Amino acid sequence: MAALWELICHHTYRGIPGVVVDLSPSGASHGQVFGLDDGDFLADGLATGSGAVRFYKQDGRIRVPTEATPWQSVVGVKGEVTLRRQPSIGFIIDSDAFQFHIRGNTLDMPVAWFGGYPNQNAEISTVFDSVGPQPYRIPSGPWVTLGFMHDGFGTMELYADGEVVARRTGVYAPVKSPGGAGLSIGNALSSGGLSCSGEIDDVKIWRLNPRRIDDEFYSRPMDRQTAECWKRFRQQIEDAFQRHPDCAKQIGRLVQEAVDSFIRQANAQGPETQSRLLRAAKEYNRLWREGKIDSPEMADVFIDLIGWLRIAGIAPDDNAALASLKNSACWQLILGELTPLDCDRQFMTLLRVVTDNLGDGRRTKVTTA
């Protein structure tokens, strides 16, 4: 199975005071120190020699630039911070794309906020989304490892020492990428006196693995001839986009608008529709990995989902944004330069079922050779 997460930032704060090195595979998230002295970098943290940074000054923070490639496509994000705090409110991590903090009236309860695009924000806290009988409270004094997660679609979670302490499910907009202001650790992005007031030993941030779709796609049982067929088809798409760069941009924008529109409509229908979408996605992934692409079970996943969406008033074939994509001159131009994908019988069978049911709502039977 494809790795779901990709580590894009890892700080340990050990070594030379004031020098913050990114230990993630890309090495693209080194820290820039503001308002801190060498004495604020400690040799010992959670363990002897592990290193830590003390945050208590009004403008003390570590900025992480986010211009590098790993930050340009986030979609889903996960973070983990090992810290020891004093009783106070403040930011642990801050950016215009996601935040992890202890906020005003929540006192010692963690909150994570995520900025979706275009303007679909989401938030989770142990105040309103606790999974236990009592909301989790961050202790003052001992070391604790806290975490947050937004999977880019249907689940947000908060963690404490490896245990889930809050969870919220639904259909959420993907997390946008941080802007040019970057990421702030230990204080608010604008350093306005909202320090986390404590010591941070370790910071890790992951993004949703951008290669997961390709990895999952090729995780299905596939013979060599079919794999080579898909390789040729994808190369045709890349070549067509290179020949028509303006169309490539337009199609990318229209696809995003269609996705955003669908997410907004699904969110408006409430938890039952959101739950059905999540169940359909999980069943699709299972059948895909098992190679049951053209099976009656796979057809049922799409037929039942399309039927439910029609009842809920958000049928994909009635989506104006999707219609704009399908009717665009660029879409027709690119399709016209591609060779029909007839070499993958299983996939084409599934595609026929989906398009038939989107077209007129009739239930298409699946027959396998």
Side-chain angles (χ1 to χ4, degrees), residues 339-358:
T339 301
L341 188 65
D342 297 328
C343 50
D344 189 338
R345 179 189 56 80
Q346 285 187 303
F347 183 82
M348 294 306 297
T349 298
L350 175 61
L351 183 61
R352 185 172 63 253
V353 170
V354 174
T355 54
D356 284 350
N357 282 273
L358 283 176

Side-chain angles (χ1 to χ4, degrees), residues 23 71 78 137 147 169 174 176 181 222 300 331 354:
L23 301 179
W71 292 100
K78 182 173 73 167
R137 310 175 81 92
T169 58
K176 67 181 182 181
M222 187 185 304
D300 286 343
W331 181 259
V354 174

Side-chain angles (χ1 to χ4, degrees), residues 44-47 51-52 82-84 139 141-145 161 199-201:
D44 302 328
L46 174 63
T82 299
L83 76 161
R84 178 168 62 183
W143 287 98
V144 62
T145 298
D161 290 330
E199 300 162 10
I200 294 180
D201 176 290

Side-chain angles (χ1 to χ4, degrees), residues 179-234:
L183 187 84
S184 178
I185 296 172
N187 209 329
L189 194 63
S190 58
S191 66
L194 289 173
S195 166
C196 69
S197 188
E199 300 162 10
I200 294 180
D201 176 290
D202 194 272
V203 174
K204 292 179 181 177
I205 299 174
W206 295 261
R207 69 170 175 172
L208 204 59
N209 180 8
R211 295 172 296 280
R212 74 195 182 285
I213 296 177
D214 283 350
D215 294 344
E216 288 287 358
F217 182 86
Y218 289 108
S219 70
R220 58 173 274 211
M222 187 185 304
D223 59 35
R224 181 175 179 179
Q225 182 179 2
T226 303
E228 290 178 348
C229 165
W230 275 102
K231 183 178 179 180
R232 291 193 301 271
F233 185 72
R234 295 187 60 164

Side-chain angles (χ1 to χ4, degrees), residues 65-319:
T66 52
E67 292 86 0
T69 300
W71 292 100
Q72 298 309 303
S73 177
V74 175
V75 180
V77 65
K78 182 173 73 167
E80 183 179 282
V81 181
T82 299
L83 76 161
R84 178 168 62 183
R85 65 176 288 267
Q86 301 301 319
S88 67
I89 64 173
F91 280 87
I92 301 170
I93 294 176
D94 188 21
S95 75
D96 60 6
F98 55 91
Q99 301 170 346
F100 190 39
H101 53 111
I102 307 163
R103 191 173 59 194
N105 59 3
T106 64
L107 299 178
D108 50 3
M109 298 180 188
V111 178
W113 172 92
F114 304 95
Y117 48 83
N119 292 300
Q120 302 174 58
N121 303 327
E123 185 174 276
I124 180 172
S125 74
T126 55
V127 179
F128 301 108
D129 308 299
S130 176
V131 298
Q134 297 294 328
Y136 173 81
R137 310 175 81 92
I138 306 173
S140 298
W143 287 98
V144 62
T145 298
L146 303 176
F148 61 91
M149 186 275 291
H150 183 312
D151 71 357
F153 176 69
T155 304
M156 299 184 293
E157 292 179 337
L158 297 178
Y159 309 90
D161 290 330
E163 298 292 330
V164 177
V165 295
R167 178 181 291 116
R168 174 173 286 190
T169 58
V171 180
Y172 305 112
V175 181
K176 67 181 182 181
S177 299
L183 187 84
S184 178
I185 296 172
N187 209 329
L189 194 63
S190 58
S191 66
L194 289 173
S195 166
C196 69
S197 188
E199 300 162 10
I200 294 180
D201 176 290
D202 194 272
V203 174
K204 292 179 181 177
I205 299 174
W206 295 261
R207 69 170 175 172
L208 204 59
N209 180 8
R211 295 172 296 280
R212 74 195 182 285
I213 296 177
D214 283 350
D215 294 344
E216 288 287 358
F217 182 86
Y218 289 108
S219 70
R220 58 173 274 211
M222 187 185 304
D223 59 35
R224 181 175 179 179
Q225 182 179 2
T226 303
E228 290 178 348
C229 165
W230 275 102
K231 183 178 179 180
R232 291 193 301 271
F233 185 72
R234 295 187 60 164
Q235 187 61 53
Q236 288 182 32
I237 296 175
E238 293 178 9
D239 291 344
F241 280 169
Q242 288 181 358
R243 289 192 295 270
H244 310 287
D246 291 340
C247 278
K249 293 179 182 178
Q250 184 187 94
I251 290 174
R253 176 179 57 79
L254 291 174
V255 167
Q256 189 59 63
E257 288 177 358
V259 172
D260 289 342
S261 174
F262 181 73
I263 289 173
R264 286 195 298 273
Q265 290 177 328
N267 266 325
Q269 298 304 315
E272 187 171 2
T273 297
Q274 296 166 1
S275 177
R276 282 179 176 263
L277 284 171
L278 292 173
R279 289 202 304 270
K282 290 179 181 179
E283 182 66 2
Y284 165 84
N285 286 332
R286 181 185 69 81
L287 293 169
W288 184 270
R289 290 194 299 270
E290 293 176 0
K292 299 178 179 179
I293 316 303
D294 56 350
S295 67
E297 296 92 337
M298 181 68 91
D300 286 343
V301 170
F302 285 92
I303 293 169
D304 293 345
L305 180 60
I306 292 169
W308 172 260
L309 293 176
R310 282 201 173 96
I311 293 173
I314 51 174
D317 46 321
D318 293 334
N319 185 286

